[in-house]
Amino acid sequence: MDNEVNVMPRIGEKAPSFRAVTTQGPIEFPQDYKGKWIILFSHPADFTPVCTSEFITFGKMAKEFEDLNCQLVGLSIDGLFSHIAWLRTIKDKIDYKGMKNIEITFPLIDDVTMHVAKMYGMLQPGESETKAVRAVFFIDPEGIIRTILYYPMSLGRNFDEIKRILIGLQTVDNFEVALPADWRPGDEVIIPTASTVKAAQQRAESKDKKGFTYYDWFFCTQALSKEEVESKLGKKK
Protein backbone atom coordinates (compact mmCIF):
# COMPACT_ATOMS: atom_id res chain seq x y z
CA MET A 1 0.00 0.00 0.00
CA ASP A 2 1.28 3.47 -0.86
CA ASN A 3 0.55 4.84 2.60
CA GLU A 4 2.64 2.05 4.11
CA VAL A 5 5.54 2.73 1.75
CA ASN A 6 5.71 6.39 2.73
CA VAL A 7 5.64 5.93 6.51
CA MET A 8 8.83 7.20 8.10
CA PRO A 9 10.00 7.22 11.74
CA ARG A 10 10.72 10.68 13.10
CA ILE A 11 13.49 12.39 15.01
CA GLY A 12 13.08 11.76 18.73
CA GLU A 13 11.30 8.44 18.27
CA LYS A 14 12.61 4.96 19.08
CA ALA A 15 14.24 3.35 16.07
CA PRO A 16 11.90 0.60 14.81
CA SER A 17 13.16 -2.88 15.71
CA PHE A 18 13.69 -5.70 13.24
CA ARG A 19 15.58 -8.93 12.65
CA ALA A 20 17.63 -9.26 9.49
CA VAL A 21 20.11 -11.41 7.63
CA THR A 22 23.29 -9.50 6.78
CA THR A 23 26.72 -10.07 5.27
CA GLN A 24 28.03 -10.33 8.85
CA GLY A 25 25.37 -12.77 10.03
CA PRO A 26 21.90 -12.27 11.57
CA ILE A 27 21.25 -9.14 13.62
CA GLU A 28 18.61 -7.83 16.03
CA PHE A 29 18.35 -4.12 15.32
CA PRO A 30 18.98 -1.87 17.18
CA GLN A 31 19.27 -4.08 20.28
CA ASP A 32 22.57 -5.66 19.21
CA TYR A 33 24.21 -2.23 19.25
CA LYS A 34 22.84 -0.84 22.52
CA GLY A 35 25.37 1.55 24.02
CA LYS A 36 26.68 2.56 20.59
CA TRP A 37 25.71 5.18 18.09
CA ILE A 38 24.40 3.67 14.85
CA ILE A 39 24.38 5.01 11.32
CA LEU A 40 21.80 3.04 9.33
CA PHE A 41 22.00 3.89 5.65
CA SER A 42 20.32 2.60 2.52
CA HIS A 43 21.36 2.48 -1.10
CA PRO A 44 19.40 1.68 -4.26
CA ALA A 45 21.18 -1.42 -5.55
CA ASP A 46 24.38 -3.46 -5.61
CA PHE A 47 26.77 -3.20 -8.56
CA THR A 48 25.90 0.44 -9.25
CA PRO A 49 28.60 3.13 -9.58
CA VAL A 50 27.37 5.73 -7.08
CA CYS A 51 26.77 3.08 -4.42
CA THR A 52 30.17 1.55 -5.10
CA SER A 53 31.88 4.91 -4.54
CA GLU A 54 29.98 5.30 -1.27
CA PHE A 55 30.78 1.84 0.07
CA ILE A 56 34.45 2.27 -0.69
CA THR A 57 34.37 5.57 1.23
CA PHE A 58 32.44 4.08 4.16
CA GLY A 59 34.85 1.15 4.21
CA LYS A 60 37.90 3.43 4.26
CA MET A 61 36.37 5.52 7.07
CA ALA A 62 35.04 2.57 9.10
CA LYS A 63 37.79 2.86 11.73
CA GLU A 64 37.03 6.57 12.17
CA PHE A 65 33.40 5.77 12.91
CA GLU A 66 34.40 2.88 15.18
CA ASP A 67 36.60 5.27 17.17
CA LEU A 68 33.49 7.45 17.65
CA ASN A 69 31.66 4.46 19.18
CA CYS A 70 29.52 4.19 16.05
CA GLN A 71 28.33 1.10 14.21
CA LEU A 72 27.69 1.35 10.47
CA VAL A 73 24.81 -0.72 9.08
CA GLY A 74 23.98 -0.70 5.36
CA LEU A 75 20.83 -1.80 3.56
CA SER A 76 19.88 -2.60 -0.01
CA ILE A 77 16.85 -4.21 -1.62
CA ASP A 78 19.11 -6.92 -3.00
CA GLY A 79 19.84 -10.42 -1.76
CA LEU A 80 22.64 -11.75 0.40
CA PHE A 81 24.54 -13.49 -2.41
CA SER A 82 24.42 -10.34 -4.53
CA HIS A 83 25.77 -8.37 -1.55
CA ILE A 84 28.64 -10.81 -1.04
CA ALA A 85 29.57 -10.83 -4.72
CA TRP A 86 29.49 -7.03 -4.89
CA LEU A 87 31.61 -6.56 -1.76
CA ARG A 88 34.15 -9.07 -3.10
CA THR A 89 34.28 -7.09 -6.35
CA ILE A 90 34.88 -3.86 -4.39
CA LYS A 91 37.80 -5.45 -2.52
CA ASP A 92 39.36 -7.32 -5.43
CA LYS A 93 38.86 -5.03 -8.41
CA ILE A 94 38.00 -1.40 -7.58
CA ASP A 95 40.64 1.28 -7.17
CA TYR A 96 38.78 4.57 -6.67
CA LYS A 97 40.61 7.80 -5.82
CA GLY A 98 43.50 5.78 -4.44
CA MET A 99 41.18 3.67 -2.29
CA LYS A 100 41.70 -0.01 -3.07
CA ASN A 101 41.63 -3.42 -1.39
CA ILE A 102 38.81 -2.06 0.80
CA GLU A 103 37.16 -4.78 2.84
CA ILE A 104 33.66 -3.98 4.08
CA THR A 105 33.43 -5.33 7.63
CA PHE A 106 30.17 -3.72 8.71
CA PRO A 107 26.85 -5.52 8.06
CA LEU A 108 24.90 -5.03 4.84
CA ILE A 109 21.24 -6.03 5.24
CA ASP A 110 19.50 -8.37 2.80
CA ASP A 111 16.12 -6.63 2.31
CA VAL A 112 14.68 -8.36 -0.76
CA THR A 113 11.22 -8.28 0.87
CA MET A 114 11.55 -4.48 1.36
CA HIS A 115 10.33 -4.96 4.94
CA VAL A 116 12.97 -2.74 6.54
CA ALA A 117 12.93 -0.20 3.71
CA LYS A 118 9.18 0.27 4.13
CA MET A 119 9.48 0.41 7.93
CA TYR A 120 12.02 3.24 7.67
CA GLY A 121 10.39 5.13 4.79
CA MET A 122 13.32 4.45 2.48
CA LEU A 123 11.06 3.90 -0.53
CA GLN A 124 10.07 7.09 -2.28
CA PRO A 125 7.64 6.30 -5.13
CA GLY A 126 8.62 9.46 -7.01
CA GLU A 127 12.13 8.00 -7.32
CA SER A 128 11.35 4.27 -7.44
CA GLU A 129 8.93 1.78 -5.90
CA THR A 130 11.49 -1.02 -5.94
CA LYS A 131 14.73 0.72 -4.90
CA ALA A 132 15.60 2.56 -1.70
CA VAL A 133 16.74 6.17 -1.84
CA ARG A 134 19.93 7.16 -0.01
CA ALA A 135 18.55 7.50 3.52
CA VAL A 136 20.78 8.00 6.57
CA PHE A 137 19.51 7.52 10.13
CA PHE A 138 21.63 8.57 13.12
CA ILE A 139 20.55 6.57 16.17
CA ASP A 140 21.92 7.26 19.64
CA PRO A 141 23.08 4.70 22.25
CA GLU A 142 19.57 4.59 23.72
CA GLY A 143 18.04 3.67 20.37
CA ILE A 144 16.55 7.12 19.67
CA ILE A 145 16.62 8.59 16.15
CA ARG A 146 18.50 11.88 16.30
CA THR A 147 19.02 12.94 12.67
CA ILE A 148 17.66 11.84 9.30
CA LEU A 149 19.15 12.64 5.88
CA TYR A 150 17.64 11.83 2.49
CA TYR A 151 19.47 11.95 -0.84
CA PRO A 152 18.05 11.05 -4.27
CA MET A 153 19.34 7.93 -5.96
CA SER A 154 21.51 9.92 -8.37
CA LEU A 155 23.44 11.97 -5.75
CA GLY A 156 26.20 10.51 -3.63
CA ARG A 157 26.37 11.41 0.06
CA ASN A 158 28.72 13.93 1.67
CA PHE A 159 30.83 11.89 4.09
CA ASP A 160 32.43 14.91 5.75
CA GLU A 161 28.92 16.01 6.71
CA ILE A 162 27.95 12.55 7.96
CA LYS A 163 30.96 12.51 10.28
CA ARG A 164 30.39 16.15 11.30
CA ILE A 165 26.79 15.33 12.29
CA LEU A 166 27.91 12.40 14.42
CA ILE A 167 30.55 14.52 16.18
CA GLY A 168 28.06 17.36 16.58
CA LEU A 169 25.39 15.15 18.16
CA GLN A 170 27.89 13.75 20.63
CA THR A 171 29.07 17.27 21.47
CA VAL A 172 25.49 18.43 22.04
CA ASP A 173 25.00 15.56 24.49
CA ASN A 174 28.37 15.79 26.20
CA PHE A 175 28.28 19.56 26.87
CA GLU A 176 24.52 20.33 26.83
CA VAL A 177 24.92 23.02 24.18
CA ALA A 178 23.59 23.80 20.71
CA LEU A 179 25.76 24.24 17.64
CA PRO A 180 25.65 27.12 15.15
CA ALA A 181 25.71 26.96 11.36
CA ASP A 182 28.77 25.27 9.88
CA TRP A 183 30.09 24.32 13.34
CA ARG A 184 33.31 22.36 13.53
CA PRO A 185 35.20 21.20 16.65
CA GLY A 186 37.02 24.22 18.07
CA ASP A 187 34.33 26.71 17.05
CA GLU A 188 32.23 28.51 19.64
CA VAL A 189 29.05 26.77 20.77
CA ILE A 190 25.65 28.21 21.65
CA ILE A 191 24.69 28.12 25.31
CA PRO A 192 21.04 27.52 26.28
CA THR A 193 18.82 30.57 25.85
CA ALA A 194 18.07 32.51 29.03
CA SER A 195 14.65 31.44 30.27
CA THR A 196 13.97 34.24 32.79
CA VAL A 197 14.31 38.03 32.85
CA LYS A 198 16.96 37.72 35.55
CA ALA A 199 19.00 35.24 33.53
CA ALA A 200 18.77 37.48 30.47
CA GLN A 201 20.08 40.40 32.51
CA GLN A 202 22.94 38.30 33.87
CA ARG A 203 23.88 37.39 30.31
CA ALA A 204 23.99 41.06 29.34
CA GLU A 205 26.19 41.84 32.33
CA SER A 206 28.60 39.04 31.36
CA LYS A 207 29.20 40.18 27.79
CA ASP A 208 32.80 41.17 28.49
CA LYS A 209 33.65 37.81 30.04
CA LYS A 210 36.54 36.01 28.32
CA GLY A 211 35.43 33.19 26.05
CA PHE A 212 31.84 34.48 26.05
CA THR A 213 30.24 36.27 23.10
CA TYR A 214 27.03 38.21 23.67
CA TYR A 215 24.95 38.91 20.54
CA ASP A 216 21.69 39.46 22.40
CA TRP A 217 19.93 37.98 25.41
CA PHE A 218 18.71 34.96 23.40
CA PHE A 219 21.91 34.39 21.40
CA CYS A 220 25.15 33.86 23.30
CA THR A 221 28.13 31.67 22.55
CA GLN A 222 31.08 30.41 24.50
CA ALA A 223 34.45 28.96 23.62
CA LEU A 224 34.82 25.19 23.54
CA SER A 225 38.20 23.99 22.41
CA LYS A 226 38.76 21.24 19.88
CA GLU A 227 40.70 19.35 22.54
CA GLU A 228 37.75 19.45 24.96
CA VAL A 229 35.38 18.22 22.28
CA GLU A 230 37.67 15.42 21.16
CA SER A 231 38.39 14.29 24.73
CA LYS A 232 34.79 13.10 25.07
CA LEU A 233 34.05 11.79 21.59
CA GLY A 234 33.16 8.11 21.45
CA LYS A 235 32.89 7.87 25.24
CA LYS A 236 29.97 5.92 26.66
CA LYS A 237 27.82 8.05 28.94
Side-chain angles (χ1 to χ4, degrees), residues 89-108:
T89 297
I90 286 174
K91 183 176 188 300
D92 295 341
K93 297 182 178 180
I94 306 297
D95 181 349
Y96 173 68
K97 290 187 174 180
M99 296 181 283
K100 59 184 178 179
N101 300 317
I102 301 295
E103 184 168 2
I104 305 301
T105 58
F106 55 83
L108 174 53

Side-chain angles (χ1 to χ4, degrees), residues 7-219:
V7 166
M8 184 180 83
R10 293 169 292 191
I11 292 172
E13 294 181 346
K14 280 277 188 183
S17 299
F18 60 85
R19 295 179 180 179
V21 173
T22 82
T23 52
Q24 298 294 320
I27 62 170
E28 295 265 358
F29 188 94
Q31 295 90 324
D32 284 352
Y33 309 114
K34 186 173 175 59
K36 290 187 174 184
W37 287 82
I38 307 168
I39 293 177
L40 172 66
F41 65 97
S42 59
H43 69 277
D46 300 342
F47 293 101
T48 55
V50 177
C51 298
T52 299
S53 73
E54 291 186 325
F55 262 74
I56 289 174
T57 307
F58 261 133
K60 184 175 185 296
M61 295 178 66
K63 181 62 166 58
E64 297 176 44
F65 287 105
E66 182 182 329
D67 290 344
L68 292 168
N69 189 34
C70 180
Q71 175 66 52
L72 300 174
V73 180
L75 175 144
S76 166
I77 303 173
D78 275 323
L80 183 63
F81 297 136
S82 173
H83 288 350
I84 292 171
W86 179 46
L87 298 185
R88 285 177 60 88
T89 297
I90 286 174
K91 183 176 188 300
D92 295 341
K93 297 182 178 180
I94 306 297
D95 181 349
Y96 173 68
K97 290 187 174 180
M99 296 181 283
K100 59 184 178 179
N101 300 317
I102 301 295
E103 184 168 2
I104 305 301
T105 58
F106 55 83
L108 174 53
I109 294 169
D110 170 345
D111 195 33
V112 172
T113 64
M114 300 188 284
H115 172 67
V116 179
K118 289 178 180 178
M119 182 186 298
Y120 275 81
M122 294 169 173
L123 295 178
Q124 303 283 321
E127 282 279 285
S128 172
E129 294 189 2
T130 59
K131 294 180 181 180
V133 295
R134 300 179 196 283
V136 189
F137 290 82
F138 295 76
I139 300 166
D140 72 18
E142 300 304 317
I144 303 299
I145 296 170
R146 299 289 295 277
T147 299
I148 302 171
L149 300 176
Y150 272 79
Y151 292 74
M153 292 192 295
S154 57
L155 178 64
R157 284 167 267 230
N158 183 313
F159 285 79
D160 287 339
E161 176 64 358
I162 289 173
K163 186 176 178 182
R164 188 189 79 94
I165 289 172
L166 179 62
I167 291 172
L169 291 172
Q170 292 190 20
T171 301
V172 166
D173 289 356
N174 289 333
F175 295 94
E176 298 182 347
V177 294
L179 305 177
D182 294 328
W183 177 88
R184 298 277 179 178
D187 294 345
E188 290 189 334
V189 298
I190 296 173
I191 58 178
T193 301
S195 57
T196 66
V197 172
K198 183 178 180 181
Q201 182 61 35
Q202 289 173 338
R203 292 278 174 89
E205 293 170 353
S206 301
K207 60 185 177 183
D208 295 325
K209 180 181 174 183
K210 185 178 180 181
F212 179 86
T213 303
Y214 178 87
Y215 296 96
D216 207 332
W217 68 271
F218 66 93
F219 184 12

